[in-house]
Amino acid sequence: MNTLNDHELLVANRNFYEPLWRDAQLVEPEHFNTWPLISPLAAKATRRLEVAPGLRPRLPVDGTDFVDISMNALTKLAACGGRPVMSPIGRLPFADGTFDLLCALDIIEHVDDDRRAMAELARVAAKGATLLLSMPLHPEMWTPFDDFVGHRRRYEPKEIQTLLQHHGFTIERSAVFGMQPSSSWLLDLGMWFLTHRREKAMKWYNRIMPYTIRLQSPLQLHEGLINTDGVGEILIVCRKGMFPGNTR
């Protein structure tokens, strides 16, 4: 598990993602396997927020509010009709109950105070709002890649349930998520290039990423929380209740 403090994690995350998005092109959300899930939700939600999407947003860009720590990402999102602002998840610059649809994929594992992050998402979510959340699972599955990209933790399933319930969210559906290589040697090779040939690795990633998206399997959504045995990452569809801790 990562032992960096909050400021050090912010610096690590910015150092990793700012160069990544500098030379990257925005990939439209329609190209991701999350789109069949998100499209009908977005059609009914005019007040939308996505946290830390980089240049891989999952919500429709035009008319959506975005927060990120990368100026490169925010500039390109704005050019496509997004409403971006630089801010960490722990201090969202929006009024209470602003949004009907929120998306925070691969983000809460990057912050030191995940309870504060969830409290902010709950605060700006309207009653009945949908929250899409993803995170890596099982601390025993920790790899050097988690350290490299600035992860603070991996979650046990019970931790996720407790965290969501405490902030007034009910789990409606979930699915296996993520595209991390299952082969350890591929992961080790990628890590070597990121460590020793960083610029070349970033260019390679940005060049092939739009093509690897096509290899995504369709999301297999199930009611409630799926069986997480051996699952490295999960996508969760949540619903906001009336009060924190109210799951009805």
Side-chain angles (χ1 to χ4, degrees):
M1 180 177 291
N2 202 312
T3 57
L4 298 178
N5 63 39
D6 198 38
H7 175 72
E8 290 170 332
L9 283 165
L10 177 64
V11 171
N13 287 323
R14 183 169 281 146
N15 286 344
F16 183 85
Y17 288 105
E18 192 70 19
L20 181 65
W21 304 135
R22 181 185 58 215
D23 301 316
Q25 298 298 314
L26 185 144
V27 178
E28 296 290 344
E30 293 87 349
H31 296 293
F32 291 94
N33 66 351
T34 47
W35 186 244
L37 164 66
I38 287 174
S39 179
L41 294 172
K44 295 184 288 186
T46 57
R47 304 180 300 170
R48 305 184 300 264
L49 170 68
E50 186 162 1
V51 179
L55 291 175
R56 306 293 182 254
R58 305 307 173 91
L59 299 187
V61 177
D62 190 23
T64 295
D65 288 278
F66 295 96
V67 296
D68 206 292
I69 61 171
S70 167
M71 183 56 69
N72 287 323
L74 294 173
T75 299
K76 294 178 181 181
L77 288 165
C80 295
R83 299 198 293 254
V85 61
M86 181 174 285
S87 174
I89 191 173
R91 294 190 301 274
L92 295 175
F94 306 105
D96 296 359
T98 299
F99 300 104
D100 302 310
L101 177 61
L102 304 91
C103 186
L105 303 186
D106 299 322
I107 175 64
I108 64 168
E109 68 271 18
H110 285 269
V111 298
D112 191 58
D113 192 346
D114 56 346
R115 285 184 170 269
R116 179 175 177 179
M118 283 302 307
E120 279 294 272
L121 291 172
R123 181 184 64 79
V124 302
K127 177 188 173 183
T130 297
L131 168 66
L132 306 176
L133 202 65
S134 73
M135 68 285 291
L137 299 179
H138 306 305
E140 67 271 17
M141 296 179 71
W142 191 272
T143 73
F145 186 76
D146 291 284
D147 289 304
F148 191 81
V149 300
H151 285 175
R152 177 67 179 86
R153 67 187 66 78
R154 283 178 169 266
Y155 286 88
E156 293 290 6
K158 285 292 185 182
E159 288 181 275
I160 298 168
Q161 292 176 297
T162 300
L163 185 64
L164 289 170
Q165 184 175 12
H166 179 77
H167 291 95
F169 289 102
T170 300
I171 298 176
E172 293 191 333
R173 292 179 285 171
S174 59
V176 176
F177 193 59
M179 296 179 64
Q180 181 171 307
S182 57
S183 169
S184 60
W185 75 265
L186 280 176
L187 187 59
D188 290 343
L189 181 63
M191 282 292 301
W192 187 91
F193 272 98
L194 283 167
T195 303
H196 300 284
R197 300 289 188 272
R198 185 182 181 89
E199 186 173 349
K200 183 177 290 187
M202 293 294 192
K203 289 181 178 178
W204 179 82
Y205 171 84
N206 284 321
R207 184 175 301 165
I208 70 162
M209 180 62 179
Y211 300 100
T212 59
I213 290 172
R214 300 175 185 175
L215 302 177
Q216 297 175 106
S217 300
L219 279 180
Q220 300 295 321
L221 286 159
H222 299 275
E223 295 297 317
L225 187 67
I226 61 170
N227 182 347
T228 60
D229 292 346
V231 174
E233 186 173 1
I234 192 171
L235 172 72
I236 299 176
V237 183
C238 310
R239 182 75 61 180
K240 170 72 181 302
M242 184 180 298
F243 302 111
N246 181 359
T247 58
R248 299 183 63 184

